[in-house]
Amino acid sequence: MTALTTTSAAGSGVTDLYPTRGATEVTVPRQDPVVWGAPDTPGPVSADELHDLDRDGFLAVDQLISQDEAATYRAELERLVADPAIRADERSIVEPKSQEIRSVFEVHRISEVFAALVRDERVVGRAQQILGSDVYVHQSRINVKPGFGASGFYWHSDFETWHAEDGLPNMRTVSVSIALTENYETNGGLMIMPGSHKTFLGCAGATPKDNYKKSLQMQDAGTPSDEALTSMASEYGIKLFTGKPGSATWFDCNCMHGSGDNITPYPRSNVFIVFNSVENAAVEPFAAPVRRPSFIGAQDFTPVK
């Protein structure tokens, strides 16, 4: 891996701080804060938690919502997955092998139940405090990992894709994954390399047109090399997240993360919400021929209220 100087992104008029999808894999030190809000800003996240988020790139919350609330959201997930109209919608992604639904995108627009969760102060309040501004939903989805073979998500940095293909200029974006079923050590839980958010890994290889149609089933463009992943794992280690329904993991957009296949009998489902600062609205993609559809990378920057 080699370092690369910044360039100007063609067509956007915005300096590209994080070049990627070039001829070679490159590394760039993070140019942006992790926590944008002042440490003493009132909110649901304590100063110590903000410090941990800045250091590690993630913050685990044992009970963001109650288990009873998680059961309500899980029932809504099951209703959506069973609906033939949802399955036929382009916002639903199916497993290549089993043909079962893997994810449903823009779930906060499809379901008022999940829209209410996005507006919940325990959720949006944390995002506003971390990002130091009003926020909008850049992406939302439910992820379904039934037992006996649901495939995982390979190692990646979300920001690499959101920068390259959606046009997010800066690392001012935070995600929350809320468990709707129990996350065991064995059923394909989220893994993060602590501290990896401080270095941007620009991946090698050009972005094919309509890359999203393939990448949402199996990542290809934007995938780190084995050598880079080995180096990062050696430096940062790997943290696996477990928890009861209602537990949550907040994590920075540049964390190197992934999840394994679920070959156990125990399903693992979660709702995933990405909040972006209204001051970091998307421009033209930095490394893709066309932007992804709005249900994957929002083009409506209306703040969550």
Side-chain angles (χ1 to χ4, degrees):
M1 296 183 290
T2 57
L4 190 71
T5 55
T6 59
T7 60
S8 180
S12 70
V14 177
T15 300
D16 185 0
L17 299 176
Y18 304 104
T20 190
R21 311 283 174 97
T24 60
E25 196 170 60
V26 298
T27 57
V28 178
R30 186 187 184 106
Q31 305 295 306
D32 296 304
V34 178
V35 176
W36 291 73
D40 57 352
T41 301
V45 188
S46 71
D48 286 344
E49 289 174 326
L50 291 173
H51 175 269
D52 291 348
L53 175 65
D54 181 77
R55 179 193 64 207
D56 299 328
F58 60 79
L59 178 64
V61 180
D62 287 339
Q63 207 72 70
L64 181 64
I65 60 175
S66 71
Q67 292 198 37
D68 287 344
E69 289 173 302
T72 298
Y73 294 117
R74 186 168 62 250
E76 178 68 354
L77 176 152
E78 292 168 354
R79 183 189 72 81
L80 293 172
V81 170
D83 186 341
I86 297 297
R87 182 182 181 83
D89 194 296
E90 66 174 344
R91 291 172 286 190
S92 293
I93 310 301
V94 300
E95 288 275 2
K97 293 182 180 179
S98 69
Q99 292 299 299
E100 293 184 342
I101 288 181
R102 173 188 179 97
S103 301
V104 179
F105 280 81
E106 212 170 42
V107 70
H108 71 295
R109 295 190 182 276
I110 292 174
S111 164
E112 178 51 40
V113 173
F114 284 110
L117 178 63
V118 166
R119 297 190 299 266
D120 190 307
E121 180 59 25
R122 293 170 293 179
V123 178
V124 70
R126 281 177 165 84
Q128 291 167 333
Q129 191 179 359
I130 293 166
L131 300 181
S133 69
D134 282 338
V135 297
Y136 70 92
V137 176
H138 176 69
Q139 185 186 103
S140 73
R141 67 177 187 260
I142 47 175
N143 292 326
V144 185
K145 263 194 180 179
F148 301 117
S151 58
F153 292 85
Y154 197 69
W155 290 105
H156 63 286
S157 155
D158 287 328
F159 179 75
E160 192 279 338
T161 297
W162 299 338
H163 182 69
E165 301 185 36
D166 298 339
L168 295 193
N170 297 98
M171 296 180 183
R172 198 171 179 178
T173 315
V174 68
S175 302
V176 60
S177 174
I178 305 174
L180 303 183
T181 56
E182 183 147 4
N183 284 228
Y184 300 102
E185 293 183 350
T186 53
N187 65 341
L190 173 67
M191 297 180 289
I192 294 178
M193 296 185 187
S196 59
H197 63 304
K198 294 296 183 73
T199 301
F200 176 75
L201 179 64
C203 297
T207 309
K209 186 178 180 180
D210 290 341
N211 177 58
Y212 76 94
K213 293 180 180 179
K214 180 180 179 182
S215 68
L216 296 179
Q217 294 180 328
M218 185 172 294
Q219 188 83 359
D220 187 9
T223 301
S225 69
D226 291 351
E227 292 77 12
L229 290 171
T230 300
S231 175
M232 295 180 79
S234 297
E235 180 175 358
Y236 301 119
I238 296 173
K239 165 73 174 175
L240 170 66
F241 294 87
T242 60
K244 298 288 186 182
S247 62
T249 305
W250 291 85
F251 59 103
D252 179 78
C253 58
N254 192 46
C255 284
M256 189 61 66
H257 68 287
S259 65
D261 295 351
N262 181 14
I263 61 172
T264 75
Y266 313 115
R268 175 184 173 264
S269 297
N270 70 297
V271 55
F272 180 74
I273 307 164
V274 180
F275 292 101
N276 188 38
S277 169
V278 295
E279 299 171 13
N280 189 44
V283 294
E284 290 302 309
F286 286 85
V290 294
R291 66 170 70 248
R292 300 193 297 176
S294 59
F295 68 85
I296 301 174
Q299 297 167 37
D300 179 353
F301 312 132
T302 303
V304 176
K305 297 294 185 182

